Amino acid sequence: GNSVTQMEGPVTLSEEAFLTINCTYTATGYPSLFWYVQYPGEGLQLLLKATKADDKGSNKGFEATYRKETTSFHLEKGSVQVSDSAVYFCALLFLMNYGGATNKLIFGTGTLLAVQP
Amino acid sequence: DGGITQSPKYLFRKEGQNVTLSCEQNLNHDAMYWYRQDPGQGLRLIYYSQIVNDFQKGDIAEGYSVSREKKESFPLTVTSAQKNPTAFYLCASSSSGGQPQHFGDGTRLSIL
């Protein structure tokens, strides 16, 4: 079946440190992959996406590359800030019905990132 | 600005009571979804709807009900049959099938 596995948190870093949050997936076919971010008390915001193998998604200094050979989509940032403290979710998307509007997101369990000044 | 509005932000339920969570979107999206989030877990799909007057059960539909009378609105009712309703509930919507889902800010439901 389809599933997503994320590294467990919390991840605690000092400001300006390098961030990696690992994400691997199991899927049939060729899903799209996403990273969502959730700030305390809020909903999820789309951070970045990749729709096919070797695509690199990037946004706000975060990057992730769709690696089909290793079934991975690791999130990276070169220099984290206190404002990056949040929960990060890796997710894969596949269509629930061909030609329709509905899709299904399979989420990892989330990784809490805490950045200290 | 287009977006998804969930209300209320906090909701309390008494034993044996049904409560309804509101979700409205002005993104003109066809599909809408309800998720439940528990601490330390990912999101789990409760119900989804592709078009008006049509909806399907997700992975954990028992104890919940929905309606889709308008394209913009997809309310979720947590019934008394849901024995563990305390959770954070998130509504989402999407346009065409390959597009990512957009989320509201959630409703936190607690039991009195």
Side-chain angles (χ1 to χ4, degrees):
Chain A
N2 301 303
S3 65
V4 174
T5 302
Q6 279 182 244
M7 66 186 289
E8 291 193 14
V11 174
T12 303
L13 296 173
S14 297
E15 206 164 23
E16 299 184 3
F18 185 86
L19 168 71
T20 299
I21 300 178
N22 290 337
C23 171
T24 57
Y25 67 90
T26 302
T28 54
Y30 303 97
S32 296
L33 299 172
F34 302 87
W35 278 100
Y36 282 86
V37 58
Q38 184 177 36
Y39 298 102
E42 297 184 9
L44 274 65
Q45 299 176 24
L46 179 65
L47 181 59
L48 54 83
K49 67 176 183 179
T51 58
K52 60 183 186 298
D54 298 326
D55 267 1
K56 177 186 281 189
S58 61
N59 186 25
K60 300 181 182 178
F62 291 90
E63 293 183 340
T65 301
Y66 190 157
R67 300 286 188 199
K68 185 170 179 290
E69 64 276 12
T70 55
T71 61
S72 64
F73 192 55
H74 305 321
L75 183 68
E76 297 181 335
K77 186 175 186 183
S79 176
V80 294
Q81 305 299 312
V82 172
S83 57
D84 293 327
S85 298
V87 179
Y88 292 81
F89 290 93
C90 184
L92 67 84
L93 179 148
F94 61 92
L95 295 176
M96 283 197 273
N97 50 340
Y98 183 77
T102 43
N103 52 58
K104 184 166 186 177
L105 278 173
I106 304 294
F107 287 90
T109 53
T111 301
L112 174 62
L113 170 65
V115 180
Q116 299 174 337
Chain B
D1 287 341
I4 300 175
T5 302
Q6 290 188 243
S7 62
K9 193 170 179 66
Y10 300 96
L11 187 59
F12 298 91
R13 193 190 90 169
K14 296 180 181 178
E15 293 289 339
Q17 186 181 45
N18 294 349
V19 292
T20 297
L21 285 61
S22 170
C23 177
E24 303 278 335
Q25 56 100 357
N26 61 4
L27 299 166
N28 199 34
H29 285 171
D30 290 314
M32 298 187 74
Y33 313 80
W34 274 105
Y35 291 90
R36 171 181 171 134
Q37 184 179 22
D38 294 284
Q41 298 189 32
L43 280 68
R44 292 182 291 169
L45 183 64
I46 304 173
Y47 267 98
Y48 63 97
S49 168
Q50 181 171 347
I51 56 172
V52 173
N53 293 323
D54 181 68
F55 48 83
Q56 304 295 329
K57 293 181 179 179
D59 300 319
I60 54 164
E62 185 174 352
Y64 300 97
S65 66
V66 294
S67 63
R68 186 87 186 274
E69 297 177 0
K70 298 186 301 182
K71 186 176 183 177
E72 302 80 16
S73 179
F74 192 42
L76 173 75
T77 296
V78 183
T79 74
S80 57
Q82 172 50 245
K83 297 307 178 188
N84 184 25
T86 298
F88 191 50
Y89 290 88
L90 288 159
C91 179
S93 69
S94 66
S95 54
S96 59
Q99 297 302 311
Q101 295 174 16
H102 297 259
F103 286 82
D105 282 339
T107 294
R108 188 166 299 281
L109 175 63
S110 302
I111 300 302
L112 288 176

Coordinates of all heavy atoms in Angstrom, one line a residue, chain A residues 19-75:
Chain A
L19 N 19.5 22.1 8.3 CA 18.3 21.2 8.6 C 18.2 20.1 7.6 O 18.2 20.4 6.4 CB 17.1 22.0 8.7 CG 15.7 21.2 8.7 CD1 15.6 20.5 10.1 CD2 14.5 22.1 8.5
T20 N 18.0 18.9 8.1 CA 17.5 17.8 7.2 C 16.4 17.1 8.0 O 16.6 16.7 9.1 CB 18.6 16.8 6.9 OG1 19.7 17.5 6.2 CG2 18.1 15.7 6.0
I21 N 15.3 16.9 7.3 CA 14.2 16.0 7.9 C 14.0 14.9 6.8 O 13.6 15.2 5.7 CB 12.9 16.8 8.1 CG1 13.1 17.9 9.2 CG2 11.8 15.8 8.6 CD1 11.9 18.7 9.4
N22 N 14.2 13.7 7.2 CA 14.1 12.6 6.3 C 12.7 12.2 6.0 O 11.9 12.1 7.0 CB 14.9 11.4 6.8 CG 16.4 11.7 6.7 OD1 16.9 12.5 6.0 ND2 17.2 10.9 7.5
C23 N 12.4 11.8 4.8 CA 11.1 11.3 4.4 C 11.3 10.2 3.3 O 11.9 10.5 2.3 CB 10.2 12.4 3.9 SG 8.6 11.8 3.1
T24 N 10.7 9.1 3.6 CA 10.7 8.0 2.5 C 9.3 7.6 2.3 O 8.4 7.7 3.2 CB 11.6 6.8 2.9 OG1 11.1 6.3 4.2 CG2 13.0 7.2 3.1
Y25 N 9.0 7.0 1.2 CA 7.6 6.7 0.9 C 7.6 5.3 0.2 O 8.6 4.8 -0.3 CB 7.0 7.7 0.0 CG 7.6 7.8 -1.4 CD1 7.1 7.0 -2.5 CD2 8.7 8.6 -1.7 CE1 7.7 7.1 -3.7 CE2 9.3 8.6 -2.9 CZ 8.8 7.9 -3.9 OH 9.4 7.9 -5.2
T26 N 6.4 4.7 0.3 CA 6.1 3.5 -0.5 C 4.8 3.8 -1.3 O 3.8 4.3 -0.7 CB 5.8 2.3 0.5 OG1 6.9 2.1 1.3 CG2 5.5 1.1 -0.3
A27 N 4.9 3.6 -2.6 CA 3.7 3.9 -3.4 C 3.7 3.1 -4.6 O 4.7 2.7 -5.2 CB 3.7 5.4 -3.7
T28 N 2.5 2.9 -5.1 CA 2.3 2.3 -6.4 C 2.1 3.4 -7.4 O 1.6 4.5 -7.1 CB 1.0 1.4 -6.5 OG1 -0.1 2.2 -6.0 CG2 1.2 0.2 -5.6
G29 N 2.6 3.3 -8.6 CA 2.6 4.4 -9.6 C 3.5 5.5 -9.3 O 4.6 5.3 -8.6
Y30 N 3.1 6.7 -9.7 CA 4.1 7.8 -9.6 C 3.3 9.0 -8.9 O 2.8 9.9 -9.5 CB 4.5 8.2 -11.0 CG 5.2 7.1 -11.7 CD1 4.5 6.3 -12.6 CD2 6.5 6.8 -11.4 CE1 5.1 5.2 -13.2 CE2 7.1 5.7 -12.0 CZ 6.4 4.9 -12.9 OH 7.0 3.9 -13.6
P31 N 3.3 9.0 -7.6 CA 2.6 10.0 -6.8 C 3.3 11.4 -6.9 O 4.5 11.4 -7.2 CB 2.6 9.5 -5.4 CG 3.9 8.7 -5.3 CD 4.0 8.1 -6.7
S32 N 2.6 12.4 -6.6 CA 3.3 13.7 -6.3 C 3.6 13.7 -4.9 O 3.0 13.0 -4.0 CB 2.3 14.8 -6.6 OG 2.0 14.9 -8.0
L33 N 4.6 14.5 -4.5 CA 5.1 14.6 -3.2 C 5.1 16.0 -2.7 O 5.4 16.9 -3.4 CB 6.6 14.0 -3.1 CG 6.7 12.5 -3.5 CD1 8.2 12.2 -3.5 CD2 6.0 11.6 -2.5
F34 N 4.8 16.2 -1.4 CA 4.6 17.5 -0.8 C 5.3 17.5 0.6 O 5.4 16.5 1.3 CB 3.2 17.8 -0.6 CG 2.4 17.8 -1.9 CD1 1.8 16.6 -2.3 CD2 2.2 18.9 -2.6 CE1 1.1 16.6 -3.5 CE2 1.5 18.9 -3.8 CZ 0.9 17.7 -4.2
W35 N 5.7 18.7 1.0 CA 5.9 19.1 2.4 C 5.0 20.2 2.8 O 4.8 21.2 2.1 CB 7.4 19.6 2.5 CG 8.4 18.5 2.7 CD1 9.2 18.0 1.7 CD2 8.7 17.7 3.8 NE1 10.0 17.0 2.2 CE2 9.6 16.8 3.5 CE3 8.2 17.7 5.1 CZ2 10.2 15.9 4.4 CZ3 8.7 16.8 6.1 CH2 9.7 15.9 5.7
Y36 N 4.3 19.9 3.9 CA 3.4 20.9 4.5 C 4.0 21.3 5.8 O 4.7 20.5 6.5 CB 2.0 20.3 4.8 CG 1.1 20.2 3.6 CD1 1.1 19.1 2.8 CD2 0.2 21.2 3.3 CE1 0.3 19.0 1.7 CE2 -0.7 21.1 2.2 CZ -0.6 20.0 1.4 OH -1.5 19.9 0.3
V37 N 3.7 22.6 6.3 CA 4.2 23.1 7.6 C 3.0 23.5 8.4 O 2.0 24.1 7.9 CB 5.2 24.2 7.4 CG1 4.6 25.4 6.6 CG2 5.7 24.7 8.7
Q38 N 3.0 23.2 9.7 CA 2.0 23.6 10.6 C 2.6 24.4 11.7 O 3.3 23.8 12.6 CB 1.2 22.3 11.1 CG 0.0 22.7 12.0 CD -0.7 21.4 12.4 OE1 -0.1 20.4 12.7 NE2 -2.0 21.5 12.5
Y39 N 2.2 25.6 11.8 CA 2.6 26.4 13.0 C 1.6 26.2 14.1 O 0.5 25.8 13.9 CB 2.7 27.9 12.6 CG 3.7 28.2 11.5 CD1 3.3 28.3 10.2 CD2 5.1 28.2 11.8 CE1 4.3 28.5 9.2 CE2 6.0 28.4 10.8 CZ 5.6 28.5 9.5 OH 6.5 28.7 8.5
P40 N 2.0 26.5 15.3 CA 1.2 26.2 16.5 C -0.2 26.8 16.4 O -0.4 27.9 16.1 CB 1.9 26.8 17.7 CG 3.4 26.8 17.2 CD 3.3 27.0 15.7
G41 N -1.2 25.9 16.6 CA -2.6 26.3 16.6 C -3.2 26.6 15.2 O -4.3 27.2 15.1
E42 N -2.5 26.3 14.2 CA -2.9 26.7 12.8 C -3.1 25.4 12.0 O -2.8 24.3 12.4 CB -1.9 27.6 12.1 CG -1.8 28.9 12.9 CD -0.9 29.9 12.1 OE1 -0.5 29.6 10.9 OE2 -0.5 30.9 12.7
G43 N -3.7 25.6 10.8 CA -3.8 24.6 9.8 C -2.5 24.3 9.1 O -1.5 24.9 9.5
L44 N -2.6 23.5 8.1 CA -1.4 23.1 7.3 C -1.2 24.1 6.1 O -2.2 24.5 5.5 CB -1.5 21.7 6.8 CG -1.0 20.6 7.7 CD1 -1.9 20.5 8.9 CD2 -0.9 19.3 6.9
Q45 N 0.0 24.5 5.9 CA 0.3 25.3 4.7 C 1.2 24.5 3.8 O 2.2 23.9 4.3 CB 1.1 26.6 5.2 CG 0.3 27.5 6.1 CD 1.1 28.7 6.5 OE1 2.0 29.1 5.9 NE2 0.7 29.2 7.7
L46 N 1.0 24.6 2.5 CA 1.8 23.9 1.6 C 3.2 24.6 1.5 O 3.3 25.8 1.3 CB 1.2 23.9 0.2 CG 2.0 23.3 -0.9 CD1 2.2 21.8 -0.7 CD2 1.3 23.5 -2.3
L47 N 4.3 23.9 1.7 CA 5.6 24.5 1.7 C 6.2 24.3 0.4 O 6.8 25.3 -0.2 CB 6.5 23.8 2.8 CG 7.9 24.3 3.0 CD1 7.9 25.8 3.3 CD2 8.6 23.5 4.0
L48 N 6.2 23.1 -0.2 CA 6.8 22.9 -1.5 C 6.3 21.5 -2.0 O 5.7 20.7 -1.3 CB 8.3 22.9 -1.5 CG 9.1 22.0 -0.5 CD1 9.2 20.6 -1.0 CD2 10.4 22.5 -0.1
K49 N 6.5 21.4 -3.4 CA 6.0 20.1 -4.0 C 6.9 19.7 -5.1 O 7.7 20.5 -5.6 CB 4.6 20.4 -4.5 CG 4.5 21.4 -5.7 CD 3.1 21.5 -6.2 CE 3.0 22.4 -7.4 NZ 1.6 22.5 -8.0
A50 N 6.7 18.4 -5.5 CA 7.4 17.9 -6.7 C 6.5 16.9 -7.3 O 5.9 16.0 -6.6 CB 8.8 17.3 -6.3
T51 N 6.4 16.9 -8.6 CA 5.4 16.1 -9.2 C 6.0 14.9 -10.0 O 5.2 14.0 -10.3 CB 4.5 16.9 -10.2 OG1 5.4 17.5 -11.1 CG2 3.7 17.9 -9.4
K52 N 7.3 14.9 -10.2 CA 7.9 13.7 -10.9 C 9.3 13.5 -10.4 O 9.9 14.4 -9.8 CB 7.8 13.9 -12.4 CG 8.5 15.1 -12.9 CD 8.3 15.2 -14.5 CE 9.1 16.3 -15.1 NZ 8.8 17.6 -14.5
A53 N 9.9 12.4 -10.8 CA 11.2 12.0 -10.4 C 12.2 13.1 -10.8 O 12.1 13.6 -11.9 CB 11.6 10.7 -10.9
D54 N 13.1 13.4 -9.9 CA 14.2 14.4 -10.1 C 13.8 15.8 -10.0 O 14.6 16.7 -10.1 CB 15.0 14.1 -11.4 CG 15.6 12.8 -11.4 OD1 16.1 12.3 -10.4 OD2 15.7 12.2 -12.5
D55 N 12.5 16.0 -9.8 CA 12.0 17.4 -9.6 C 12.6 17.9 -8.3 O 12.6 17.2 -7.3 CB 10.5 17.5 -9.5 CG 9.9 17.8 -10.9 OD1 10.6 17.9 -11.9 OD2 8.6 17.9 -10.9
K56 N 12.9 19.2 -8.2 CA 13.3 19.8 -6.9 C 12.2 20.9 -6.6 O 12.0 21.8 -7.4 CB 14.7 20.4 -7.0 CG 15.1 21.1 -5.7 CD 16.4 21.9 -5.8 CE 17.5 20.9 -5.7 NZ 18.9 21.6 -5.6
G57 N 11.6 20.7 -5.4 CA 10.7 21.7 -5.0 C 11.5 22.7 -4.0 O 12.4 22.2 -3.3
S58 N 11.1 24.0 -4.1 CA 11.8 24.9 -3.2 C 10.9 26.1 -2.8 O 10.0 26.5 -3.6 CB 13.1 25.4 -3.9 OG 12.8 26.1 -5.0
N59 N 11.1 26.6 -1.6 CA 10.3 27.7 -1.2 C 10.9 28.2 0.2 O 11.2 27.4 1.0 CB 8.8 27.3 -0.9 CG 7.9 28.4 -0.6 OD1 8.2 29.6 -0.9 ND2 6.8 28.1 0.1
K60 N 11.0 29.5 0.3 CA 11.5 30.1 1.6 C 12.8 29.5 2.1 O 13.0 29.4 3.3 CB 10.4 29.9 2.7 CG 9.1 30.6 2.3 CD 8.1 30.4 3.5 CE 6.7 30.9 3.1 NZ 5.7 30.7 4.2
G61 N 13.7 29.1 1.2 CA 14.9 28.6 1.6 C 14.9 27.1 1.8 O 16.0 26.4 2.0
F62 N 13.8 26.4 1.8 CA 13.6 25.0 2.0 C 13.7 24.3 0.6 O 13.2 24.9 -0.4 CB 12.3 24.6 2.6 CG 12.2 25.0 4.1 CD1 11.7 26.2 4.4 CD2 12.6 24.1 5.1 CE1 11.6 26.6 5.8 CE2 12.5 24.5 6.4 CZ 12.0 25.7 6.7
E63 N 14.3 23.1 0.5 CA 14.4 22.4 -0.7 C 14.1 20.9 -0.4 O 14.4 20.4 0.7 CB 15.7 22.5 -1.3 CG 16.1 23.9 -1.8 CD 17.5 23.9 -2.5 OE1 18.3 22.9 -2.3 OE2 17.8 24.8 -3.3
A64 N 13.6 20.2 -1.5 CA 13.4 18.8 -1.4 C 13.5 18.2 -2.8 O 12.8 18.8 -3.7 CB 12.1 18.4 -0.7
T65 N 14.1 17.1 -3.0 CA 14.3 16.5 -4.4 C 13.6 15.2 -4.4 O 13.8 14.3 -3.5 CB 15.7 16.4 -4.8 OG1 16.3 17.7 -4.8 CG2 15.8 15.8 -6.2
Y66 N 12.8 14.9 -5.4 CA 12.0 13.7 -5.5 C 13.0 12.6 -6.1 O 13.4 12.7 -7.2 CB 10.9 14.0 -6.6 CG 9.9 12.9 -6.8 CD1 8.6 13.3 -7.3 CD2 10.1 11.6 -6.5 CE1 7.6 12.4 -7.5 CE2 9.1 10.6 -6.7 CZ 7.8 11.1 -7.2 OH 6.8 10.1 -7.5
R67 N 13.4 11.7 -5.2 CA 14.3 10.6 -5.6 C 13.6 9.3 -5.7 O 13.3 8.7 -4.7 CB 15.4 10.5 -4.5 CG 16.2 11.8 -4.2 CD 17.2 12.1 -5.3 NE 18.1 13.2 -4.9 CZ 18.8 13.9 -5.8 NH1 18.7 13.6 -7.1 NH2 19.6 14.8 -5.4
K68 N 13.4 8.9 -7.0 CA 12.6 7.7 -7.2 C 13.5 6.5 -6.9 O 13.0 5.5 -6.3 CB 12.2 7.7 -8.7 CG 11.3 6.5 -9.1 CD 10.7 6.7 -10.5 CE 9.9 5.5 -10.9 NZ 10.7 4.3 -11.1
E69 N 14.8 6.5 -7.1 CA 15.6 5.4 -6.9 C 15.7 5.0 -5.4 O 15.9 3.9 -5.0 CB 17.0 5.6 -7.5 CG 17.8 6.7 -6.9 CD 17.5 8.1 -7.5 OE1 16.5 8.2 -8.2 OE2 18.2 9.1 -7.2
T70 N 15.6 6.0 -4.5 CA 15.7 5.8 -3.1 C 14.3 6.0 -2.4 O 14.2 5.9 -1.2 CB 16.7 6.7 -2.4 OG1 16.4 8.1 -2.7 CG2 18.1 6.4 -2.9
T71 N 13.3 6.3 -3.2 CA 12.0 6.6 -2.7 C 12.0 7.5 -1.5 O 11.5 7.3 -0.5 CB 11.1 5.3 -2.3 OG1 11.8 4.6 -1.3 CG2 11.0 4.4 -3.5
S72 N 12.7 8.7 -1.8 CA 12.8 9.7 -0.7 C 12.5 11.1 -1.2 O 12.5 11.4 -2.4 CB 14.3 9.6 -0.2 OG 15.2 10.0 -1.2
F73 N 12.2 11.9 -0.2 CA 11.9 13.3 -0.4 C 12.3 14.1 0.8 O 11.5 14.7 1.5 CB 10.4 13.4 -0.7 CG 10.0 14.8 -1.3 CD1 10.5 15.3 -2.5 CD2 8.9 15.5 -0.7 CE1 10.1 16.5 -3.0 CE2 8.5 16.7 -1.3 CZ 9.1 17.2 -2.4
H74 N 13.6 14.1 1.1 CA 14.1 14.8 2.3 C 14.0 16.3 2.2 O 14.4 16.9 1.2 CB 15.6 14.3 2.5 CG 15.8 12.8 2.6 ND1 14.9 12.0 3.2 CD2 16.8 12.1 2.1 CE1 15.3 10.7 3.1 NE2 16.5 10.8 2.4
L75 N 13.7 16.9 3.3 CA 13.5 18.3 3.4 C 14.9 18.9 3.9 O 15.4 18.4 4.9 CB 12.4 18.7 4.3 CG 12.1 20.2 4.4 CD1 11.6 20.8 3.1 CD2 11.1 20.5 5.6

